Amino acid sequence: MIGIDGLCWLIKLDNMKKLNILFFPAYFGFIVLMISPAISCKNNNSKLTADESAVAKDSVTQMAAHIARDISTKGPTAWLDYFENDPGFFMASGGQIALKDYPAAKTFVRDTLPKMISKINLQWKNVKVDPLTDSFAAIGADFHEDIVMAGGATMAVDGYFTGTAHFDGIKWRLRNLNWAIKPGK
């Protein structure tokens, strides 16, 4: 929108009555330039309605519940059902990139992870979902995993999980995720 200074400038120009025909394109351009950001900002900052927000929040919360159920019953390869097959996918853990993209994730989860881990019991607590748009949401949760290694040893892991969920038109999937592991007790 035109600020006070811009408005005063326009009033002075009008009062001076020195506008000639060559100045009108610049005058019109100035007005369009001042109004355009206000119009474009309004369109890009549209908020979700309460109903849209509730639907997204509920859907992403259900995705988290399904992840825990599927990882616990089907094993670690079930993660592939929830990773988004998109060039923007990545996973971080312990302050560094663990899986740089979906192909790396697919190869690791399919070929390496089952040789290391035979079973995971995943539990979420305090799941928080922040719908960003109707197709993107931030998710965070405390987690606890009881992991059975391929050799039979078990270990318990606790920490905090964050990620970005994306609705791909069919279902919600994780576009990126980060695991912050609590130090051992």
Side-chain angles (χ1 to χ4, degrees), residues 159-174:
Y160 198 79
F161 162 87
T162 57
T164 304
H166 177 235
F167 184 70
D168 64 8
I170 299 169
K171 67 186 258 185
W172 287 90
R173 297 179 193 272
L174 295 169

Side-chain angles (χ1 to χ4, degrees), residues 51-66 129 131 172:
D51 288 343
E52 291 169 330
S53 184
V55 166
K57 190 173 185 175
D58 184 55
S59 298
V60 174
T61 301
Q62 286 180 25
M63 177 195 67
H66 291 156
V129 176
W172 287 90

Side-chain angles (χ1 to χ4, degrees), residues 3 7 22 25 36 54 62 64 83 85 147 152 172 174 182:
L7 189 57
L22 296 175
S36 293
Q62 286 180 25
F83 290 169
N85 184 355
I147 301 172
W172 287 90
L174 295 169
K182 290 181 184 174

